[in-house]
Amino acid sequence: MTLDHIQIKPLTAVDFSAFGDVLEAAGIPDRLINQGMGGRFHDRALLDFGPDGRAGISIFDAEPRDLPYHLNILERHPEGSQAFIPMHSNEWLVIVAEAGDTPGPVHAFRVPPGVGVNFHKGTWHGVLTPLHVPGLFAVIDRIGETSNLQECRLPVPLVITK
């Protein structure tokens, strides 16, 4: 059996825009705060928790993955967005798939240290994929009574390579 390979690309806001938002403090801050001692990079993500949900902040601690990484499952959250904000200073991997009832073509991005992402509602994505210890992330997503998770197991794993 031949496995398809996906090469990791550097994360850019332009390349990621179809899937969500890149959360980074880059460029000139929108506002100065704290008596001019801090910069505020204002309103950087489209957070959506649906009509019956609310925002929740959780802490995830994921085991690091090795490259090449064998991707065998994608998931999406049809009722709300989901943001991953690293609580460490390491690069990590984010995997997304183009929209559809089932996942479309897959893309893999190397996320630089100190940068997070916000998946738009319904975006197919891989599981949280740190590349180093610790795998600690703050996650902002929808809390509600209904299920907000759909999974799609891939019939043949995709290999994510450097």
Side-chain angles (χ1 to χ4, degrees), residues 20 78 88 91 95 110-111 132 134 162:
H88 54 74
E91 63 184 8
I95 301 166
R110 186 177 302 274
V111 184
H132 309 279
K162 293 181 185 181

Side-chain angles (χ1 to χ4, degrees), residues 18 31 58 63 79 96 100 107 116 136:
R31 301 176 186 161
S58 303
E63 292 188 26
E79 296 189 26
V96 290
H107 305 269
L136 203 56

Side-chain angles (χ1 to χ4, degrees), residues 8-33:
I8 300 170
K9 303 181 286 193
L11 181 71
T12 69
V14 171
D15 289 343
F16 196 74
S17 64
F19 311 107
D21 311 298
V22 174
L23 308 175
E24 64 182 331
I28 299 171
D30 298 297
R31 301 176 186 161
L32 291 179
I33 59 170

Side-chain angles (χ1 to χ4, degrees), residues 7-114:
Q7 190 165 10
I8 300 170
K9 303 181 286 193
L11 181 71
T12 69
V14 171
D15 289 343
F16 196 74
S17 64
F19 311 107
D21 311 298
V22 174
L23 308 175
E24 64 182 331
I28 299 171
D30 298 297
R31 301 176 186 161
L32 291 179
I33 59 170
N34 300 327
Q35 299 174 318
M37 299 299 290
R40 179 176 175 142
F41 296 83
H42 185 71
D43 197 21
R44 296 297 168 121
L46 177 61
L47 301 177
D48 182 349
F49 306 111
D52 298 319
R54 65 174 178 81
I57 299 176
S58 303
I59 306 298
F60 287 18
D61 190 7
E63 292 188 26
R65 309 301 173 98
D66 293 321
L67 295 175
Y69 171 62
H70 290 245
L71 175 72
N72 60 11
I73 190 169
L74 291 163
E75 62 181 44
R76 70 177 174 176
H77 308 284
E79 296 189 26
S81 58
Q82 185 177 50
F84 289 98
I85 302 168
M87 298 175 70
H88 54 74
S89 296
N90 297 313
E91 63 184 8
W92 56 289
L93 182 64
V94 64
I95 301 166
V96 290
E98 295 181 17
D101 291 335
T102 59
V106 172
H107 305 269
F109 298 97
R110 186 177 302 274
V111 184

